[in-house]
Amino acid sequence: MNVVNESPRRKELTRLAAQLFVQEGFDRTTVRMLAHEMGIKSGSLFHHFRDKQEILAAVIEEGTQNALHIARRALDSCDSTPEARLHAMARAHLETLLTDRNAHVVALYEWRRLDPEARDHLIHLRDAYEALWEQVIDEALAAGLIHGDRFLVSRFVMGALNWTVRWYDPAGPRTPEELAGELIGMITAPRAVAATPSTIV
Amino acid sequence: MNVVNESPRRKELTRLAAQLFVQEGFDRTTVRMLAHEMGIKSGSLFHHFRDKQEILAAVIEEGTQNALHIARRALDSCDSTPEARLHAMARAHLETLLTDRNAHVVALYEWRRLDPEARDHLIHLRDAYEALWEQVIDEALAAGLIHGDRFLVSRFVMGALNWTVRWYDPAGPRTPEELAGELIGMITAPRAVAATPSTIV
DNA sequence: AGATCAACCAAGCAAGCGCTAGTGTAAACC
DNA sequence: GGTTTACACTAGCGCTTGCTTGGTTGATCT
């Protein structure tokens, strides 16, 4: 009776589900709550999704696909210097967290609630995204812009960025652009120390 | 009938609960699973804890108290240079994540499942811990060891460290000591190129 | 005009949930 | 030696859970 297609209605339902999953957590969100939020009865939900698990998978897939597209576009349309590319990736990441916040919070917090099949599928998407990061970080390392272990640097940077969902307030004074600048500034060595002696304020 | 004291039996139960909460998540962990893991029947559980919520609060409190003690001891017994203090805090944090991993994963993932009263109490503990960090970071900023916004730097550093629970493998080749060194090395500008470069190999 | 189909609903099942009530028992205390 | 206390048990209540079933509706297609 149920369908697994990509109807526009399903997309809208996925967006609403993401919001509820963030508010309540996946386990505490009942199918009745989901249905109510969508303006239908709980039984009707299973016309659009095979089961509750599939809703979670849909939310996370949507968010990760978006992040991947935005990151690729950001890399395509920025300067080719290692610093510019690093900055572009950080800003893209933060902007995704902002515009698509719900889906990403769900991906970060509820990843472990996915059943193995869904996880297998989504892990490839995530790997593709993280590969972009490692590539940009490799370039920065090769250019001497940052130092350290390739693996560790990328993990530390991703951690710092993902942690922002805990404290960043989009209504606050700081733009994603500024945040990205601060982070990149923090980890990049002041390249040529040659000129003015770095002032100690 | 039930008690709320600090018996040693209760501590052991708390440790077991932390493990189950990590494996299954708080919501999916039933009181019957908890009781089974503890070798008793589900009814007996409520002799030690008022309700399921209290078990979660006990787990998180235990972990945070430990982190606080370890951090304070680390600061007391290290050199007083800003760099040494920064390093000591990072290492202490990573060691806590290692030795008390379950409790901290629960604190990070299940914080929002706490009811308001428990959260109010635990938030003071967490604030005390984060205050230590901000103090050390202030010193490092004042010494010119790192630059940037005080608030942002501490958030970025905490993010990078807490994210380690996702990928760090205690059985792997890297010690917490090395990890701390890499992170501090990444964010500290190569200070005065003057004297002997105090190498941290 | 008849057939198809997506989208919904009302009703409810079987299982599992947190938690309570009342009881038993061995050790500790006065 | 009687009372209390700590810890465990059995049994089950009242409720919620994810999901199924069988059926209705209105639009679209042929």
Side-chain angles (χ1 to χ4, degrees), chain B:
Chain B
M1 300 294 181
N2 49 13
V3 202
V4 201
N5 62 3
E6 279 296 333
S7 71
R9 178 91 173 117
R10 189 176 142 121
K11 270 213 171 182
E12 171 67 5
L13 299 185
T14 303
R15 209 182 52 79
L16 285 170
Q19 188 185 337
L20 260 183
F21 287 165
V22 169
Q23 274 173 35
E24 307 287 332
F26 176 69
D27 290 319
R28 289 177 108 86
T29 303
T30 70
V31 293
R32 286 166 177 83
M33 291 165 65
L34 286 166
H36 178 77
E37 196 75 6
M38 296 164 177
I40 57 180
K41 299 296 176 187
S42 71
S44 313
L45 229 175
F46 295 90
H47 172 73
H48 301 278
F49 302 93
R50 200 191 325 266
D51 52 24
K52 198 186 165 191
Q53 278 279 335
E54 197 179 88
I55 309 181
L56 177 61
V59 167
I60 295 183
E61 168 148 19
E62 176 81 8
T64 313
Q65 289 280 19
N66 267 358
L68 197 52
H69 289 152
I70 290 179
R72 279 183 180 143
R73 207 176 47 201
L75 282 182
D76 284 348
S77 64
C78 74
D79 290 353
S80 63
T81 69
E83 188 161 11
R85 287 169 65 78
L86 209 52
H87 185 89
M89 277 298 286
R91 200 193 56 192
H93 192 102
L94 289 168
E95 277 176 357
T96 309
L97 282 184
L98 193 121
T99 61
D100 219 6
R101 192 172 186 279
N102 288 338
H104 286 281
V105 172
V106 171
L108 292 178
Y109 278 82
E110 314 284 358
W111 180 266
R112 305 194 37 213
R113 304 295 168 257
L114 289 167
D115 55 26
E117 320 152 37
R119 188 149 40 189
D120 267 5
H121 168 233
L122 290 172
I123 212 162
H124 286 99
L125 269 183
R126 207 185 58 175
D127 283 351
Y129 179 74
E130 294 194 353
L132 285 183
W133 264 105
E134 298 205 340
Q135 184 192 326
V136 170
I137 282 174
D138 275 346
E139 294 164 10
L141 281 169
L145 190 63
I146 54 180
H147 337 92
D149 180 86
R150 170 179 180 273
F151 175 86
L152 288 183
V153 169
S154 67
R155 289 299 191 284
F156 284 148
V157 170
M158 296 279 286
L161 286 174
N162 284 332
W163 193 252
T164 55
V165 301
R166 297 235 179 189
W167 56 266
Y168 180 60
D169 174 18
R174 282 175 263 253
T175 68
E177 171 84 22
E178 287 165 349
L179 242 57
E182 275 276 354
L183 178 64
I184 304 304
M186 191 175 86
I187 65 170
T188 53
R191 203 144 42 143
V193 198
T196 53
S198 61
T199 55
I200 301 175
V201 187

Side-chain angles (χ1 to χ4, degrees), chain A residues 133 172 182:
Chain A
W133 264 105
E182 276 275 355

Side-chain angles (χ1 to χ4, degrees), chain A:
Chain A
M1 301 291 182
N2 49 13
V3 201
V4 201
N5 62 3
E6 279 296 333
S7 70
R9 179 86 173 121
R10 189 176 142 122
K11 270 214 170 180
E12 172 67 7
L13 298 185
T14 303
R15 209 183 51 79
L16 286 170
Q19 188 185 335
L20 261 184
F21 287 164
V22 169
Q23 274 173 34
E24 308 286 333
F26 175 70
D27 290 321
R28 289 177 109 85
T29 304
T30 69
V31 293
R32 286 167 178 81
M33 291 164 67
L34 285 165
H36 178 77
E37 195 76 5
M38 297 165 178
I40 58 180
K41 299 297 177 186
S42 72
S44 312
L45 231 175
F46 296 89
H47 172 74
H48 300 278
F49 302 92
R50 200 191 325 266
D51 53 24
K52 197 186 166 192
Q53 278 280 336
E54 197 178 271
I55 309 181
L56 177 60
V59 167
I60 295 183
E61 168 147 20
E62 177 82 9
T64 313
Q65 289 280 18
N66 266 359
L68 196 53
H69 289 151
I70 291 179
R72 280 183 178 143
R73 207 177 46 204
L75 282 182
D76 283 349
S77 65
C78 74
D79 290 352
S80 62
T81 69
E83 188 161 11
R85 288 169 65 80
L86 210 52
H87 185 91
M89 276 298 286
R91 199 194 57 194
H93 192 102
L94 289 166
E95 277 177 356
T96 309
L97 282 185
L98 194 121
T99 60
D100 218 7
R101 190 171 186 280
N102 288 338
H104 285 281
V105 172
V106 171
L108 292 178
Y109 278 83
E110 315 284 359
W111 179 267
R112 307 196 34 216
R113 305 294 167 259
L114 289 167
D115 56 25
E117 320 152 38
R119 188 148 40 188
D120 266 6
H121 168 233
L122 290 171
I123 213 162
H124 286 99
L125 269 183
R126 206 184 58 175
D127 283 352
Y129 179 73
E130 294 193 354
L132 284 184
W133 264 105
E134 298 206 340
Q135 182 191 328
V136 169
I137 281 174
D138 275 347
E139 294 164 9
L141 281 170
L145 190 63
I146 53 180
H147 336 92
D149 180 86
R150 169 180 182 271
F151 175 86
L152 288 182
V153 169
S154 67
R155 289 299 192 282
F156 284 148
V157 170
M158 295 278 287
L161 286 173
N162 285 331
W163 194 251
T164 56
V165 301
R166 298 235 175 189
W167 55 266
Y168 180 61
D169 175 17
R174 282 175 263 254
T175 66
E177 172 83 23
E178 287 165 350
L179 242 56
E182 276 275 355
L183 178 64
I184 303 304
M186 191 176 86
I187 64 170
T188 53
R191 205 126 54 130
V193 197
T196 54
S198 59
T199 59
I200 299 175
V201 188

